[in-house]
Amino acid sequence: MNNKILVTGGAGYIGSHTVVELIDNGYLPIIVDDFRNSNPLVLDKLNEIVGQTVPFYNIDCTDKKKMDKVFAEHPDLMGVIHFAAYKAVGESVEKPLMYYQNNLGSLMVVLELMEAYKISNLVFSSSCTVYGEPKVVEVSEQTPIQEATSPYGDTKIVSEKIITNTVNASAQLKATLLRYFNPIGAHPSAKIGELPNGVPNNLLPYLTQTVNGIREVLTVFGGDYNTKDGTCIRDYIHVVDLAKAHVKALNWLDNQKLPVVESFNIGTEKGNTIMDVIKTFEKVNNLKVNYKIGERREGDVEQIYANTQKAKEVLNWSCEYSLDDALKHQWAWEKTLKK
Ligand code: UD1
């Protein structure tokens, strides 16, 4: 079996967990990452978990010449999982060009080289942000895509279009667009997890850093939403379950006839409020979270969670971990980090 998979952004949060699952399933991942939003130490930990040295290239994915060399060394790739992208909503509003240049630039390089080297299978990291503020809170893949609320969100919508048009014109390209909900948690070994640079934007790293004494207080953005306790609802999915969805997507893609470009929601089908998350974290870890209710954050959607029927039926994928598991693993990981 041709089992080599190029993983761009493979040292990142979702990328590193996916590399573990790829190896567990007999694939040979090759990582490309330039550590702009990750840490070289992740590779050591990854190698410890999998008991082998995962091939790695320190390359900017928008650098076509350097990326071409990687493809030239591995012309027999079975597929590419393209994670490498910026993902901070607020930063994207301040630096839109940086987001378009990196997120779209790296995608184009990947697609051009997949075409040039006749590589078939692309798994792309998309996001539930493509649904915007949905009219029905449980979104399926048929839920209309809406105007993006940030340049980051727009890069995901545009990327999906670029991939779709390229697949439709290609003689060999097939793709899945995985629309992630809110990934949380860490590997059960506590050897890898999320390593945000600077002040975290996302809820869970902010929460655990607060409990760890790095941040003083967690501000809950808005307590007056139209939900049971006034706080926003999201679909929080364990990062290992999300990682496993990539393996299922690759397996499925490889067996499809051309042309195929399919989107899949990857979530738990459960909506939890921020207060649910805080209370569950406190219960499973026997700890207190210092939090206060603050102003709403601009651009936040009130509530959204996934309908994942399609991923269940087509990819034969479903979640194995609970919110309790994710929050236990998240804390176990945070405790390994130095203050
Ligand atoms: C956002 C993006 C999502 C993207 C993800 C990656 C949108 C609408 N969503 O998800 O597409 O993939 O970031 O970074 O573009 N919260 C607090 N206090 C905090 C931090 C967060 O209360 O300090 C709240 C937020 O208001 C939100 C929830 O926690 O209600 C989750 O926030 P966050 O982790 O930032 O993820 P999203 O905004 O859902």
Side-chain angles (χ1 to χ4, degrees), residues 15 22 50 110 126 139 143 151 160 198 234 255 262 267-268 279 291 316 330 332:
L22 285 169
V50 299
V110 165
S126 191
V139 297
T143 301
E160 289 200 357
R234 294 287 182 278
N255 289 310
E262 286 290 342
T268 66
K279 293 298 162 202
Y291 71 89
N316 190 26
Q330 181 100 28

Side-chain angles (χ1 to χ4, degrees), residues 11 59 62 80 91 103 128 159-160 170 200 205 210 218 261 282 284 301 317:
I59 287 177
T62 65
V80 178
E91 184 184 53
N103 292 10
C128 67
S159 292
E160 289 200 357
S170 169
T210 305
L218 167 71
V261 51
E282 289 183 330
V284 299
V301 165
W317 168 88

